[in-house]
Amino acid sequence: QPAQPESHTCTSVRFGPAPARGGGGGRSAFRLRRYVPADEPAVVELLNLSAADLRALPWLMFDTEDFRDKPLGFVSNRICQALVEASGVVVACVGSQVVGVASCWCSPEDQVALLQFVVVQPEFRRRGIGSALLDWCACQARGRGCRELQVERWVDSRNRSLCALLGANGFRQHLRGQMNVTMHAPLPPQRLEEPELPRGCSVTTFSPGDEPEWVRLKNAIFGSHTTEEWFADNYVSREDFLPEGWFFALHRGRKIGIANVLLHAHPTEGRLAGSIEWVGALREARGKGIGRALVVACMRRLYEWGLDDALLMTQYFREPAVKLYRSLGFRVVREHRMYGKRLA
């Protein structure tokens, strides 16, 4: 199929009247054309409108660059860094006004294209512009020999308008069982009673010199290849590292499990939220209540620090962990969805 033409007018798409400007009104057709450098201010404004929409949602941490405002020059810099293809950026115009934008990165070698962003100005939504932008990207990818168009970064399931737009245009969720999900639980005192542990088992906190043991356990539990240098750079050497929020499960003095809590400051408001991370036990210690004891220890610590709730991230395929979290009051509040579309 031939590549998308440089510009086309979507007069066959029905949409509502464009907002009046200077007293004007009526219905307007939109057209799509390739991005040019003069579009940079309008495109950055659109990306920042999209970021503002996401920031209006309740803050749940684990956010991406999509939640942050972009500086003027963002698109041109990404193009210079070969992170965006200039020929893969398309804008939607009503008259001379840029009201929508999308970006498609094609990798013919992998036969996969990435949808990097798609945004329509709020007052011009629900008029077919978003669908036309997605069609353009699909046609661009197909013309470059790609067989699939995937979103580049995860989509917040609470962004219902974007999820609906993707679904209506043939995009389907993939790797659903492996996608990250954010879970939330309040911290009422009645849920924080210490559970019973098997004889000889206990929970203790991190002490100086425990770095090798934590790394050894993490690698054994999660099948990872973490180094002590990575652990030091990402956690121990940080000013906000709080050893009393890092826990070990022990059996007769031998460390068999880990879990920890981290504090996160809101990017603008300064308030704190707490997350539970790296919860796990050695295979031979599973099914004995070790994981529950570690999670409760984390919840108790957050409560002692004055927090009212806790967050964590997991995946649906970790069924025993999800079952444990649900039994402690955690509920899924956000899915980090990945979408893809097969191209005929």
Side-chain angles (χ1 to χ4, degrees), residues 47 53 137-138 153 252 272 274 310:
L47 295 176
D53 287 343
C137 290
R153 291 183 293 277
R252 303 191 188 282
L272 294 177

Side-chain angles (χ1 to χ4, degrees), residues 6-69:
E6 288 291 318
S7 173
H8 67 268
T9 302
C10 302
T11 53
S12 63
V13 179
R14 295 172 178 262
F15 56 96
R21 288 185 177 273
R27 303 177 72 85
S28 302
F30 63 87
R31 65 188 181 93
L32 305 185
R33 62 168 174 78
R34 293 191 189 275
Y35 167 89
V36 296
D39 295 325
E40 171 91 21
V43 169
V44 169
E45 181 181 355
L46 284 167
L47 295 176
N48 289 341
L49 285 172
S50 176
D53 287 343
L54 292 173
R55 290 197 300 271
L57 298 170
W59 179 55
L60 294 176
M61 305 177 303
F62 312 123
D63 295 334
T64 70
E65 66 179 50
D66 298 329
F67 290 74
R68 295 187 284 272
D69 278 342

Side-chain angles (χ1 to χ4, degrees), residues 81-95:
Q81 297 168 19
L83 299 175
V84 170
E85 291 182 317
S87 62
V89 183
V90 58
V91 296
C93 301
V94 173

Side-chain angles (χ1 to χ4, degrees), residues 1-318:
Q1 184 168 345
Q4 188 74 24
E6 288 291 318
S7 173
H8 67 268
T9 302
C10 302
T11 53
S12 63
V13 179
R14 295 172 178 262
F15 56 96
R21 288 185 177 273
R27 303 177 72 85
S28 302
F30 63 87
R31 65 188 181 93
L32 305 185
R33 62 168 174 78
R34 293 191 189 275
Y35 167 89
V36 296
D39 295 325
E40 171 91 21
V43 169
V44 169
E45 181 181 355
L46 284 167
L47 295 176
N48 289 341
L49 285 172
S50 176
D53 287 343
L54 292 173
R55 290 197 300 271
L57 298 170
W59 179 55
L60 294 176
M61 305 177 303
F62 312 123
D63 295 334
T64 70
E65 66 179 50
D66 298 329
F67 290 74
R68 295 187 284 272
D69 278 342
K70 314 299 185 292
L72 190 62
F74 173 81
V75 178
S76 58
N77 288 336
R78 303 275 286 189
I79 291 173
C80 289
Q81 297 168 19
L83 299 175
V84 170
E85 291 182 317
S87 62
V89 183
V90 58
V91 296
C93 301
V94 173
S96 61
Q97 181 183 5
V98 174
V99 300
V101 64
S103 176
C104 176
W105 172 278
C106 295
S107 178
E109 298 83 4
D110 301 324
Q111 297 186 323
V112 173
L114 299 178
L115 177 67
Q116 296 177 301
F117 49 79
V118 55
V119 187
V120 178
Q121 196 165 312
E123 58 264 40
F124 288 94
R125 293 173 185 170
R126 300 184 182 276
R127 306 184 186 189
I129 297 176
S131 294
L133 290 167
L134 292 177
D135 285 345
W136 192 97
C137 290
C139 195
Q140 171 89 354
R142 196 181 297 114
R144 295 277 299 278
C146 295
R147 296 188 176 184
E148 187 167 5
L149 178 59
Q150 299 178 357
V151 295
E152 184 178 48
R153 291 183 293 277
W154 60 270
V155 177
D156 192 321
S157 62
R158 299 172 301 162
N159 189 345
R160 296 182 180 179
S161 60
L162 179 55
C163 292
L165 174 65
L166 293 169
N169 284 275
F171 287 79
R172 298 291 178 262
Q173 290 187 59
H174 60 89
L175 300 176
R176 177 172 173 78
Q178 298 179 42
M179 72 179 174
N180 291 327
V181 293
T182 304
M183 301 186 75
H184 166 272
L187 296 175
Q190 62 269 24
R191 259 203 203 109
L192 305 181
E193 297 179 4
E194 287 194 43
E196 291 187 15
L197 283 168
R199 183 184 298 275
C201 291
S202 60
V203 173
T204 188
T205 53
F206 190 96
S207 298
D210 280 336
E211 291 85 351
E213 278 291 272
W214 189 93
V215 170
R216 179 188 67 81
L217 282 169
K218 176 182 179 294
N219 290 337
I221 294 167
F222 297 101
S224 58
H225 301 281
T226 298
T227 64
E228 290 183 40
E229 291 75 18
W230 179 91
F231 183 42
D233 291 342
N234 286 273
Y235 295 113
V236 179
S237 63
R238 288 171 40 170
E239 292 183 0
D240 58 354
F241 178 72
L242 301 170
E244 61 269 30
W246 293 70
F247 298 92
F248 286 105
L250 288 79
H251 178 250
R252 303 191 188 282
R254 173 175 170 254
K255 295 180 174 66
I256 58 173
I258 55 174
N260 69 276
V261 293
L262 295 177
L263 294 179
H264 307 260
H266 190 281
T268 58
E269 299 175 10
R271 58 188 173 88
L272 294 177
S275 65
I276 300 175
E277 302 186 359
W278 301 120
V279 179
L282 295 175
R283 186 176 299 277
E284 64 269 22
R286 295 172 189 171
K288 301 177 181 180
I290 302 297
R292 174 176 291 271
L294 286 166
V295 175
V296 171
C298 290
M299 296 173 73
R300 287 166 62 93
R301 183 68 78 228
L302 290 174
Y303 182 77
E304 291 168 1
W305 286 346
L307 275 70
D308 297 320
D309 46 26
L311 293 167
L312 59 82
M313 187 186 292
T314 189
Q315 299 82 31
Y316 284 131
F317 80 88
R318 302 185 188 278

